[in-house]
């Protein structure tokens, strides 16, 4: 049963990542990987919300598998973040590469902590 929940979440998360990245790229014609940043920050926020809900007893382990492991696991992408950062460096866009690392890590952690804080405030 657990593996089915992960598959169901991933079946939504992977196409959502692709479609979100495509939509953001059409809006922002830039060397900076805005699409990957958006999906990673969104996934971090969702996972933070879910973690905060679980900590306050409002999210089951099954929901964590479906949304946390399945959806967020397929929505977010560390490999694409790494690849795009290396490509930016290789093409001489070192500023964008450094900005990508700094913004992705800082804002990703911030989104996760904000999600946890919001969920805990909501259910305490």
């Amino acid at each position: 049963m657990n593996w089915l929940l992960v598959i169901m979440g991933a079946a939504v998360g992977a196409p959502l990542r692709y479609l979100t990245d495509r939509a953001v790229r059409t809006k922002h014609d830039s060397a900076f990987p805005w699409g990957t940043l958006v999906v990673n920050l969104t996934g971090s926020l969702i996972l933070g919300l879910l973690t905060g809900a679980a900590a306050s007893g409002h999210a089951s382990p099954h929901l964590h598998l479906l949304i946390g492991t399945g959806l967020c696991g397929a929505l977010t992408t560390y490999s694409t973040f790494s690849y795009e950062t290396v490509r930016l460096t290789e093409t001489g866009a070192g500023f964008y590469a450094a900005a990508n690392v700094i913004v992705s890590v800082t804002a990703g952690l911030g989104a996760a902590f904000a999600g946890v804080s919001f969920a805990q405030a909501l259910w305490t």
Side-chain angles (χ1 to χ4, degrees):
M1 173 67 161
N2 290 343
W3 60 272
L4 187 58
L5 291 169
V6 173
I7 289 171
M8 288 174 16
V12 173
L16 188 58
R17 172 171 49 113
Y18 174 76
L19 294 172
T20 302
D21 184 57
R22 298 277 299 183
V24 171
R25 282 185 193 204
T26 61
K27 301 279 185 199
H28 300 284
D29 186 26
S30 169
F32 190 83
W34 290 107
T36 301
L37 179 66
V38 167
V39 296
N40 286 343
L41 295 183
T42 302
S44 295
L45 179 64
I46 292 168
L47 195 53
L49 287 165
L50 183 62
T51 301
S56 61
H58 288 87
S60 71
H62 288 110
L63 188 63
H64 215 285
L65 284 170
L66 176 70
I67 305 233
T69 304
L71 180 92
C72 290
L75 176 65
T76 60
T77 173
Y78 188 77
S79 58
T80 303
F81 158 72
S82 300
Y83 171 77
E84 289 171 341
T85 302
V86 169
R87 292 292 301 145
L88 288 169
T89 303
E90 290 175 345
T91 60
F95 174 78
Y96 284 136
N100 189 36
V101 171
I102 292 166
V103 170
S104 292
V105 172
T106 304
L109 288 171
F113 279 112
V116 169
S117 297
F118 180 75
Q120 288 178 339
L122 188 65
W123 285 301
T124 57

